[in-house]
Amino acid sequence: MSKKYINMLQNIMILLLSVSALLLFIRQQTGSSLASLIDPGQTGSDAAAASAESLTSVDTVVRIAVSGSYGRYGDLHMTSTSDGFARIRNLLQEALGSADSPTVCAEQDFRTALDSTSIYCDWTTPLPMPVVAGIVGASTTVQDLNVRRMALSVEQDTVTLFFTNDARYLRCTTKVSVEALLNLISGVQMDTVAFAYELDDSASSPYSLLHTGELRNYPLLTSVSAAQSPDSLLSALGFNPNTNSRYTESNGTEVVRDGERTLRIEPDSTLLYDGGGTVTPETSLSGDVASTEDAVLCAFRSLNRLISNSEANLCLKNVQATQNGWLVTFDYHVNGVLLRLSSGEPAAQAEVDTTGVTSFAIRLRRYSASESEYSLLLPLLQALAIASDGDGGELSICYVDSGASASAAWLEE
């Protein structure tokens, strides 16, 4: 065999090895490339962790209305983690994932959409758009807007997504099929509802969603302090139950210190936690808290582990940026009915930085529904008449915890 021929074979082998190495490199990078579409700062392992720790597990109360030629029906006490919301979540996920760039529109365009064949979602509180997208399992390019209300509406042969914070109104075309939206609407079984603007054209909060039929029964709730045993609470937060740094103050507050961390258990089952700069698995994520979505998830996971044996669950109320990170607040809900503490304070709040939860406060309560006693509520039209003389807030039915019990009442918030 000639030397020239041997050199040629060697060159071919080198080329094949180079191509093989290149293909292997590309294959290894595919995961991180896909992850960068979700978050340019994520690695492949970070994206997997983010997928496993999804915002879809965070509960929110959402009021739903579906409208068509047959009328308007809705559910005022749905939650984002309920089975009833699953089909709507899937459609919103597709809509957000396929939406083009949003453009500003007029409020009248939004109202016209509601009066057309449509699905309307009221998140009951303004939330950052990336958080709303995360709750339905989607991503979004809209970063600088808090969203209170959304609607998917049929416009000729397309489905348009509308969203607003009650100050700005935006719209974008989606790739959701008209058939998919119509199938969802035709398959729901809900009560008749109306917007406040349909019942009173001078309503100060026109998009309050209200049942127009006979009001459902809202059972009275018993309300008691609901802290677990102190040792259980300590274990849930990664404290050493056998620590010697544990004492009771004269007012009955138990104070437990573990290194730099402090937990105060007050007599009314309010817990006050200060991390003292210490990061633990119980108050952090598997990676850094790099976004508002991460902050919400981290706060929810840390606080939700403390809830047990109650008909009430935590639901997201608000998240806002602070100098050092984020402040995330939660309320309770009972079967989708928001519950307000008589003090006006949230049920829980957590301060979060890039390492995890640095401090929190939560009032632990246990609620049980009566099987024979129900809340007394004014009829809708009377409640609307009284609200018209109020401060112009959103009219809705919520539970109010007065201490030993909680009953449903009309609130204007």
Side-chain angles (χ1 to χ4, degrees):
M1 185 179 295
S2 69
K3 185 175 181 180
K4 180 178 179 181
Y5 185 70
I6 292 174
N7 288 339
M8 183 178 68
L9 287 177
Q10 287 177 336
N11 290 336
I12 292 173
M13 291 297 295
I14 291 171
L15 178 61
L16 290 175
L17 288 172
S18 299
V19 170
S20 176
L22 178 61
L23 289 174
L24 179 61
F25 175 78
I26 292 173
R27 182 177 180 182
Q28 289 174 334
Q29 293 302 308
T30 301
S32 58
S33 297
L34 292 175
S36 68
L37 297 177
I38 304 169
D39 182 343
Q42 285 185 326
T43 64
S45 59
D46 291 335
S51 176
E53 299 175 319
S54 171
L55 270 181
T56 56
S57 64
V58 176
D59 220 357
T60 56
V61 171
V62 55
R63 297 172 184 141
I64 301 295
V66 295
S67 307
S69 57
Y70 52 82
R72 199 186 308 278
Y73 298 86
D75 188 333
L76 309 189
H77 305 304
M78 192 173 282
T79 65
S80 59
T81 59
S82 65
D83 292 339
F85 187 68
R87 290 183 64 198
I88 298 173
R89 182 195 307 117
N90 292 340
L91 207 62
L92 288 174
Q93 186 181 99
E94 181 182 354
L96 286 168
S98 65
D100 60 11
S101 298
T103 57
V104 175
C105 64
E107 179 182 358
Q108 185 56 49
D109 296 326
F110 180 72
R111 188 171 296 193
T112 298
L114 299 184
D115 292 334
S116 305
T117 301
S118 63
I119 294 179
Y120 165 85
C121 299
D122 173 6
W123 300 99
T124 73
T125 184
L127 295 172
M129 186 62 158
V131 172
V132 171
I135 287 170
V136 300
S139 59
T140 178
T141 58
V142 180
Q143 300 292 321
D144 59 348
L145 180 74
N146 280 5
V147 175
R148 168 68 191 261
R149 311 173 201 279
M150 303 173 72
L152 283 172
S153 178
V154 174
E155 293 188 323
Q156 297 180 346
D157 59 348
T158 62
V159 174
T160 302
L161 173 66
F162 292 83
F163 46 94
T164 178
N165 58 6
D166 291 343
R168 294 174 61 197
Y169 294 83
L170 295 97
R171 58 178 293 161
C172 46
T173 302
T174 76
K175 290 184 170 57
V176 173
S177 71
V178 173
E179 182 182 9
L181 182 60
L182 293 177
N183 286 342
L184 193 153
I185 290 175
S186 64
V188 301
Q189 294 183 341
M190 299 179 181
D191 298 325
T192 56
V193 297
F195 291 105
Y197 70 78
E198 297 175 291
L199 304 174
D200 179 358
D201 56 12
S202 63
S204 55
S205 184
Y207 302 111
S208 295
L209 193 60
L210 304 161
H211 280 305
T212 55
E214 183 177 354
L215 289 176
R216 58 177 273 190
N217 288 324
Y218 293 83
L220 291 176
L221 306 176
T222 58
S223 172
V224 297
S225 299
Q228 306 171 40
S229 69
D231 285 358
S232 296
L233 287 173
L234 295 178
S235 297
L237 291 169
F239 278 72
N240 176 11
N242 299 316
T243 178
N244 292 324
S245 301
R246 185 172 178 176
Y247 59 91
T248 302
E249 296 179 335
S250 59
N251 64 358
T253 298
E254 184 171 4
V255 181
V256 184
R257 301 187 189 281
D258 190 347
E260 299 298 318
R261 300 193 300 156
T262 303
L263 179 67
R264 302 175 64 87
I265 308 173
E266 299 186 344
D268 66 352
S269 295
T270 296
L271 306 185
L272 303 175
Y273 170 83
D274 184 347
T278 302
V279 179
T280 70
E282 293 78 13
T283 57
S284 63
L285 299 178
S286 57
D288 288 343
V289 178
S291 65
T292 304
E293 304 94 288
D294 288 346
V296 170
L297 180 61
C298 185
F300 181 76
R301 287 183 58 200
S302 300
L303 295 169
N304 199 50
R305 67 174 63 244
L306 305 174
I307 307 297
S308 65
N309 301 321
S310 176
E311 294 194 19
N313 295 286
L314 289 177
C315 61
L316 181 61
K317 180 178 184 180
N318 192 23
V319 54
Q320 60 188 55
T322 64
Q323 184 175 357
N324 298 317
W326 301 267
L327 177 65
V328 188
T329 56
F330 298 87
D331 280 327
Y332 284 124
H333 77 85
V334 178
N335 295 323
V337 183
L338 286 169
L339 191 148
R340 307 301 192 198
L341 301 180
S342 57
S343 64
E345 299 175 345
Q349 64 180 33
E351 293 182 333
V352 186
D353 68 11
T354 55
T355 64
V357 172
T358 59
S359 66
F360 69 69
I362 181 170
R363 187 176 181 186
L364 296 176
R365 307 289 289 168
R366 181 176 297 121
Y367 298 94
S368 300
S370 170
E371 296 182 356
S372 58
E373 295 183 279
Y374 299 93
S375 306
L376 298 176
L377 290 164
L378 288 174
L380 172 59
L381 294 181
Q382 286 183 251
L384 276 172
I386 295 173
S388 65
D389 297 327
D391 298 328
E394 190 97 359
L395 186 64
S396 63
I397 295 175
C398 301
Y399 277 113
V400 178
D401 185 343
S402 59
S405 64
S407 61
W410 288 104
L411 296 184
E412 190 180 11
E413 301 178 304

